[in-house]
Amino acid sequence: KADAQFVRDTVLCTALVNEQGVRISTVEHLSAALAALGIDNLYVEVDAPEVPVMDGSAHPFIYLLQSGGIEEQSLPKQFIRIKKKIRVEDGDKWACIKPYHGFRVSFAINFDHPVFRNSPQTATIDFMQTSFVKEISRARTFGLLSDYEVLRAKNLALGSTLDNAIVID
């Protein structure tokens, strides 16, 4: 089940693990596509330990879901309303959710790598003014070559290539 309580790993991907110990990795691009299209009731079957990486973005999933057709159901949709600030920290990493009329995301990354050192990359996206499907969904996966080699040694990221990911060495 794609539920936050089943997230067991977020190192270089998002992995879900159910009560029986079944694990599925690399769910983030499919999850982003489903959220962008407002799909919250769907069965997805996979026959591998990770969701295919496709071109390294959410866009192919959006294309396939739209091509297959989306059926609106009669039950009302449920939404979450943020009423107070919530901050979660893990070492030097943190996330903060604040009340806001709309949906806006601000983020910064700063890796210990010469490309990023001393210059954190930052962005703010307000989805009242930006369309995820049209403007964001083609954003590609990126990572460090050293992380890629670690994943491959663990028999993961098998669909990743230089054609579908931005690899920094």
Side-chain angles (χ1 to χ4, degrees), residues 116-136:
F116 301 104
R117 201 170 288 133
N118 300 321
S119 61
Q121 307 298 304
T122 63
T124 296
I125 302 168
D126 189 332
F127 288 95
M128 295 287 283
Q129 301 168 1
T130 301
S131 166
F132 181 89
V133 171
K134 292 180 181 176
E135 300 178 45
I136 309 293

Side-chain angles (χ1 to χ4, degrees), residues 54 97 139 156:
M54 309 294 263
I97 299 173
L156 295 172

Side-chain angles (χ1 to χ4, degrees), residues 53-64:
V53 71
M54 309 294 263
D55 75 345
S57 77
H59 187 72
F61 293 108
I62 288 172
Y63 171 78
L64 292 169

Side-chain angles (χ1 to χ4, degrees), residues 45-72:
E45 294 184 15
V46 294
D47 61 359
E50 57 188 10
V51 173
V53 71
M54 309 294 263
D55 75 345
S57 77
H59 187 72
F61 293 108
I62 288 172
Y63 171 78
L64 292 169
L65 290 162
Q66 288 177 324
S67 296
I70 300 168
E71 182 178 323
E72 189 169 330

Side-chain angles (χ1 to χ4, degrees), residues 11 20 97 124 163-164:
V11 176
Q20 294 78 33
I97 299 173
T124 296
D163 295 325
N164 61 17

